[in-house]
Amino acid sequence: MALTEPPKAILHTLLKADGSATYTAPKNGYQVVAGVNYPVEVPYRSDEIPESTFIEVNLRPHNGVGMVKERHMEELVTRTLQTIVLGDETPRTMLQITLQVVNVESDESLPGGVKGGGQGETYLDLLASALNAAVLGCVDAGVQMKAIAGAALVGICPDGRMVVGPSVVQRKKCASLHVFAFTSDSQTVLMESEGKFTMDDWKQAERAARSAVLGSVNKQDNGDVTMNGTNITSGSSGNCLLDVIRQALEARVIKGGNR
Amino acid sequence: MPSIISPLSPDPSVPASAMPLISPNALLYAHLKQSPPRRPSSRTPSEPRPIQLNVGSLAHCNGSSLVKIGATTIVCGVRAEILPVTEIPSFRITKAGASYTPTAPVVRDTRYQGDTEKDNKEEDEGEYSPISLYNLVVPNIELATGCSPRHPANAAPSTEAQSISQRLLSLLHTSQLVRSSDLEIIYTPPAQAEDLELGIDTDPQLKAYWTLYVDMMCISHGGSVFDAAWLALYAALKDTIIPKSWWDADLEQVLCSAEVADARKLSLRGIPVPSSFGVFVPEKRVLGQDGHQDPYWVLMDTDGFEEEACAETGCITVDAGGGKGSSLILRIEKNGGSNVGVEEMVNMVTLAERRWQQWKTVLDAALSNS
Amino acid sequence: MSDRRRLNGPAGTTSPPVFTPSTGSAISPQYRSRKPNELRKIFLQTGVVPSATGSAYLELESPPRSRSTVLNTSSTIKLSCSVHGPKPLPRTASFSPNLQLSASVKFAPFATRNRQGYVRDSTERDIGMHLENALKGVIIPDRWPKSAIDIAVTVLEGEDDQIDGDRIVGVGLVNMLAGCINVSMAALADARVDCLDLLAAGVGAIVAGPEKPLRILDPASIEHEAILASCLVGYLPSRDELVEVWTNGSSSTQGANAGISFDEMLDSAVAAARGAQTVIKEVLVEALTKTKGGTKKLSHDHMNDVEMKT
Amino acid sequence: MPSLASSLPFSPAELAYLHTSLASVPPLRPDARSLGTDFRPLRAETGVLPAVNGSAHVGFSDGREAIVGVKLEVEKTAGKKSVHGPIRTEDGVVDMDVDVDIEDQYQGGRHSAKGKQEWVTLSLTLPGLRDDDPNLAFLEEMLREPLAVASSTSTSTSTKPSEMGSTTSLQDNLVINSRWHWHIYIDVLLISPNGLASYPLPLLSMATHLALRDTRIPRLKSEGEEDPVADDDWMASTYLYPRGKASSGVVKPPVILLVVVVGENAIFDPSREELAVADGVVAVSVAAGVDDGDPCKVLAVRMIDTPARDTMKGVPQSGEAPEGVDVPGVWRPRLGGVKRSILKAVVKSVVVDGVARDVISGLDGFLNLEAGANAGSMAAV
Amino acid sequence: MATSALVVPGQVLGNLSTHRAGPGTHVYENNILASIIGRSIVTPADKGQSGSSKAVISVPRPGTSPSATKTANALPAVGSTVLCRITRVQQRQITASILVVDPSPQDVTSYTRITDDDLQFQAVLRREDIRTHEKDKVVMNDMYRVGDIIRAVVISLGDERNYYISTAGNEFGVVVATSDAGNAMVPASWREMKDVVTGQGESRKVAKPS
């Protein structure tokens, strides 16, 4: 099921950071700005890893200061990056990623005065955008990675319909929410599902997420993709996540020069 | 521990006993390489540890439990406190018969037809369950009790403690374990005649909520702490008694009766049971000598040592009690590696269901004799 | 109370339930069924935290109360202790040829009738200092130079204390400290830390007896109307030395009038300490015989289970 | 108080010399004080702070000083009926802590005249030390404890609310009526060159003692169960601890004495050198007997960690002696505690030998029992 | 005293006049008292020792052979051999974390002991303590690399953070190493180790396999 509206990604939106990016989820959901500093001196001697890079992720929510939920999301983003970042290339250094949520689709249907994003709300919706923003930031900062990762949020409605990138109101009505992250060589690096679902629901959600991130399944056998933006084979006219990342890269490298 | 000649250095002056310190990865690989694969703790990769459960052993709690899974010991206590509705900022009680309806348009399911029918009907919490909106159930795990060398006593909560607390909270909300109807304190004003003319309504009003503080102290950290914490939380909530309470109009205060006979238990929805797993990938330097092709093993219910050696970890929470044939899955988490895909997940769900049966027997035994 | 690193309760403040005096079973204050010099039954077990160097779990049981009311009063005490060491010194420590001991006590949130917060308050720090003082008196510090040892005691269930209000004061706190000292000593013995002796703590108290004040051992604050004076000692039996003394409540001197003198109260506390020590010694020796040749440290599959007596 | 970074650690040779001289009978004290029970001169004055109910400023000869301020505030007693927390009328501060008293059956009506320990708040500040430092908590607890103890063993509770009966503790005298009570705040400020390493307990307790003796309670114009209304005529206020003409029939706040045990000797008012070699350090809180003849009463005793445990070992000239054999004159860090018999002797010497009575009567000198000038230096007792 | 009675700290085991105090005991008023729980062992004094001919009473710790003087998780003492993992190589010194003290084939360490670097004792190997000859012409990177396991001897208790170790002598040096290619390495000569898979040599100060 093709993605209705592709997410937007812009590289190098901050000047001072080594690398930066802004990621906007589809249906103007979360907008996350990532600032990446790499390679940097490790502040505390105890955090230093002798043979590898120490990855530190700071997530700032749109309202207030990071609570337990944000700490858990930072942990998930860090562990996912550890699988794709080649840490041994720059031992005893630090990759510092700061993610700031700048825009949230406000949920008017909440009872009056109760702000969204409270402690009791799910964290899966922000997790997908945060991960994508972090990967984009690393790409812009030239972090040495063995593959690019992308994440997609899928909601299953009570009637079984799959919604990729559900909006706030749709999310409230979903029976279960799923986040899947895939590397460009189509391995799954992150699975986070919550709600009530059976095994085949889950498999369907995984397929939907895979096509949202990697485009349609029949990629050219040698794995590379034609760079002309219109990927006929995928038939999804370039609105899968990897294509969006590729277009952002083109914008940054070819047209933008070193802005 | 079977004495093995370390594959690394034939130098006898490096005794095999030093192997676990020099390279835990190599030791685990040396054990798993044997056929049939065994772990240093002499379990098969898919064999979970036995669970021990004591219920109701703490005096100052509404409900308590002690869970021991292998080397992991967790004591959980549930305290019920009263949250008057006036304390909730921006809370508006509507007149409707439903126990509460914040102004949200969502109408909760009809509540007060006969009670019997309610018990088995799996009624839903609706989008705005007050439990998640007003944080009425507060799980917290404390790891800074000197439970392992890596968690010094009296330190601020570590990232692991916060992650486990957040995962417990998410599972609590998505499984809708606690019914919000159990936590409401309703006041029905006596329907004397003069009230009707003065227009004082005699519909039931919600005056206060019960708030459940679920505190878990990790006495010993032996791996798969999330599983033990959730099972302790579940057993403690199962053991919790809520005293009979009513709104005293002239005192403007909720009063409770101290009689255990009047008190009531919580009716929990379903029995979610998590089972964690780790994916062990031997380091390249260890593999180099054997050229072994199958690079990874999935280890169920990892203990402290294995959890340290597995970068990729995950957890599946199932509830096989639904009786609707294939069991219901409540939560799947996997991060830190790219070895486990959809196919492995399928047989892991069957292992999770076996763990569910194991927990069911332990729970019934503990509840029956407590 | 928004603690950023823990999940917080509802925005408003919640308060513990207020119970009405239930008509039927007004609990008559339970009087002491034990003889004046009889201690509460001690249940002790070592090796409850395998990854620690040494650990112990102690339970002071009181006669089972009828659980007819939700608000039951109990004078059982449940403590768990873990010893981690010898560890490298923290960066800020100055050079010392001796073992640096640091002890701390933490109440579980569900340990007392009024829910305790997670942040350590002054009562816990005060008992921590007492415990540290007692344990520094028993270890031989120069055996392990340039290293630190951490002792963490968690109070799972505290004794119900007569004096209401949120602070535990009075005899409940003193019994808690005695339990902490005994469980820490058992954990130190399990950790094979060099000690001078098997330190034991005992509590003696003066209670308002029928006609004249009465001397009792191991007082449970629930079982007495008014406790006039209490005395806790940390005692080294083989050296007849005191490493810790904490008395409060006025005791007159040398029996000037009918009151009981300080020395008699001290002796009753020492008698209580001796009684506790014999029980702890039995349990430690029996734990040793159960694991022949003391290889208990290594066998990890069989875990001596911890059952908590209700 | 563990030995915080005392300015200059003593060498094993100095420690050995100090220990042998102090352990000899009679003890040879480094500052040539003749008896073990001699005190160093101290200067003290009361009524130093303007906006408090009572205050005192005490300074020791080694440069350590303590200033104590005592303030009283009317507070609503959290009785059965109170619903939403006491409202403090005195200075208009609405204190919203929900203080719902649990009417426990098993309490019985026992605590009508008795005060609650929470009504006495004592806070100690030492510039440069975090306020959640365990040592501060230990000291605060040590200072507060004897105040909460009933000053005599007989159980009869006097009913006169604000007059210091002979059998009640501090908080029992704070009761105004069944709905109101005084809340007493004792704030102690310590100024000391080497922080807590010099065990400032006696200095702080004497300053608190004098401040409490100087505290005056405003006379209440309201009677019985009415809401308290205070008379703003300061001269009409009465003393918290009434000052009878003769010193008989008058109860005084407790004083804490620090006693150091070296060998068989008990040494009072220890200086830094004497503390460094102590086998044991004992803090004894004592209350003066009600009338003259009565001996003093022991209110609380606490053993404190001795700095002599964490010291370097001396090395004898003749090579390493086998373990356990004591080479005379060579310092060995202290092990174990204090012999039981010695501890009993220490407590007896504090109470029976009259050291406590001399100290308390010495402190009376600073209080202008009648009126007029207050500064007066106390001669060595 | 029965040779292997179960003892508790503070229990009198013997008198200084007849025995000598061994590990696990302490002396008080010329009695020998146990200082840990365990079984007290009386080992007759071997004549060769210059010391007095009295027997030695000791209470061994679990997991160690009775005669061994060291304890299970003992502290490095001056002169004890240690196995360390190298964490930092600098111009003038090498920082390592001590994993095992006095490794001997019989002692059994539990597999659950945690091996994080910041939980172990730290040791410093100064440049001039690396080898006995040509002390000043030492090239650090040819001697040790981060992640190697070395066997060394403790030469001093050092400052409050680090012990001082030395690898002067043939039996000390690298015991287990990983090549740049990530494979295990086998000692080829006293100055070189060879990659097991690629066979490519790397220079190290290799410990002589005993």
Side-chain angles (χ1 to χ4, degrees), chain C residues 286-305:
Chain C
E286 178 252 322
L288 253 173
T289 49
K290 205 164 53 172
T291 58
K292 282 295 161 303
T295 56
K296 174 176 70 61
K297 262 290 169 225
L298 318 168
S299 53
H300 282 282
D301 27 37
H302 94 276
M303 266 309 304
N304 30 37
D305 52 7

Side-chain angles (χ1 to χ4, degrees), chain C residues 67-87:
Chain C
R67 294 206 59 164
S68 69
T69 65
V70 171
L71 189 75
N72 46 41
T73 61
S74 86
S75 51
T76 51
I77 293 181
K78 291 176 179 155
L79 305 166
S80 121
C81 170
S82 73
V83 172
H84 290 280
K87 298 165 33 150

Side-chain angles (χ1 to χ4, degrees), chain B residues 9-229:
Chain B
S9 68
D11 176 350
S13 75
V14 176
S17 71
M19 258 307 106
L21 301 169
I22 291 174
S23 164
N25 198 291
L27 177 78
L28 195 50
Y29 174 63
H31 277 83
L32 289 172
K33 196 171 54 168
Q34 304 157 334
S35 54
R38 298 294 264 190
R39 310 194 217 184
S41 56
S42 72
R43 286 190 283 158
T44 68
S46 64
E47 177 194 348
R49 295 171 289 188
I51 303 175
Q52 288 165 23
L53 171 67
N54 289 83
V55 177
S57 46
L58 292 179
H60 301 306
C61 300
N62 293 63
S64 60
S65 69
L66 167 101
V67 168
K68 260 176 69 54
I69 304 179
T72 304
T73 309
I74 289 192
V75 178
C76 174
V78 176
R79 300 291 293 263
E81 294 197 354
I82 293 177
L83 172 69
V85 166
T86 50
E87 287 286 336
I88 301 175
S90 73
F91 176 83
R92 269 180 294 285
I93 316 165
T94 59
K95 213 165 72 56
S99 60
Y100 84 95
T101 329
T103 53
V106 172
V107 175
R108 278 199 3 84
D109 55 291
T110 52
R111 299 227 7 86
Y112 278 99
Q113 312 100 349
D115 262 358
T116 50
E117 172 248 330
K118 175 187 88 160
D119 295 344
N120 42 40
K121 176 169 72 60
E122 199 58 42
E123 48 58 9
D124 207 345
E125 283 283 331
E127 281 82 12
Y128 301 115
S129 149
I131 292 179
S132 65
L133 216 53
Y134 305 128
N135 303 338
L136 295 183
V137 182
V138 189
N140 264 307
I141 186 161
E142 175 67 79
L143 292 181
T145 54
C147 55
S148 101
R150 217 174 272 121
H151 298 284
N154 294 309
S158 57
T159 0
E160 182 183 353
Q162 293 178 53
S163 282
I164 293 177
S165 296
Q166 176 60 41
R167 288 165 68 194
L168 290 171
L169 186 73
S170 313
L171 184 52
L172 196 70
H173 287 158
T174 46
S175 66
Q176 295 166 1
L177 187 69
V178 183
R179 295 172 195 272
S180 52
S181 57
D182 285 348
L183 302 182
E184 286 157 355
I185 299 172
I186 314 281
Y187 169 63
T188 322
Q192 285 99 0
E194 63 278 9
D195 287 347
L196 293 183
E197 290 96 27
L198 301 179
I200 301 169
D201 61 62
T202 57
D203 296 344
Q205 293 150 8
L206 175 74
K207 285 293 181 186
Y209 281 112
W210 282 104
T211 309
L212 301 179
Y213 290 96
V214 185
D215 300 301
M216 284 153 273
M217 303 292 283
C218 178
I219 301 300
S220 162
H221 188 299
S224 304
V225 172
F226 175 71
D227 299 3

